[in-house]
Amino acid sequence: MQMAKGELEDKISKTLTQWEKEYLGRGSVSVKTDIVRNMIIVLLKGVLTPAERNLAQTIEGMLSIKKIRADLVESGSDQLKELIANLTGSNVTSFYTDVSTRTGERVMVFIMSDNLEEQYR
């Protein structure tokens, strides 16, 4: 029997938290995943270290953190796409991410080849 949408969203959140810990060395404080049509939208809170929050007080520091964080996630994006594809049974056609140095939140958006909201109710 296929899992419900809420179960899949929870499983994605847990998998991304584990990926963060293994790949980036630490996980976020909280993760919330929502499946909307063919998109998986993930909000990760508490992603910045205390040192990064301090560095983000200046424009140069903020831009530096955004670049480094983007590069880090991009370097692991193939791994991320594979994890999501394995969990959903659908291919990731594109992936977007950004981090807010003000709130310490990261958003990830996976565009899928299938409408997962119709598949998982």
Side-chain angles (χ1 to χ4, degrees):
M1 185 173 139
Q2 186 168 307
M3 70 179 93
K5 182 177 159 230
E7 290 175 295
L8 179 58
E9 290 167 338
D10 188 50
K11 199 166 193 155
I12 291 168
S13 292
K14 286 185 169 114
T15 300
L16 287 182
T17 299
Q18 189 60 38
W19 177 83
E20 277 188 308
K21 286 179 181 170
E22 290 173 7
Y23 192 75
L24 301 174
R26 65 185 293 269
S28 46
V29 174
S30 70
V31 181
K32 174 75 176 102
T33 300
D34 291 293
I35 295 171
V36 181
R37 295 182 302 278
N38 68 324
M39 297 175 284
I40 298 173
I41 303 161
V42 186
L43 177 62
L44 305 101
K45 295 187 176 188
V47 299
L48 297 179
T49 65
E52 287 172 322
R53 285 196 304 274
N54 192 39
L55 187 60
Q57 302 304 311
T58 66
I59 293 289
E60 296 82 12
M62 179 191 74
L63 293 173
S64 172
I65 291 164
K66 279 184 158 298
K67 172 147 183 33
I68 290 166
R69 285 293 182 137
D71 291 348
L72 282 172
V73 171
E74 190 60 40
S75 71
S77 66
D78 287 345
Q79 237 181 12
L80 274 174
K81 291 175 189 174
E82 190 178 321
L83 287 172
I84 297 297
N86 289 341
L87 287 171
T88 63
S90 178
N91 289 324
V92 177
T93 57
S94 52
F95 169 67
Y96 306 92
T97 186
D98 194 18
V99 65
S100 169
T101 54
R102 266 197 354 269
T103 63
E105 296 171 329
R106 168 179 292 286
V107 68
M108 292 181 171
V109 179
F110 297 89
I111 309 296
M112 308 305 292
S113 59
D114 301 295
N115 185 333
L116 297 179
E117 194 171 30
E118 284 181 354
Q119 290 179 15
Y120 296 88
R121 294 195 181 273

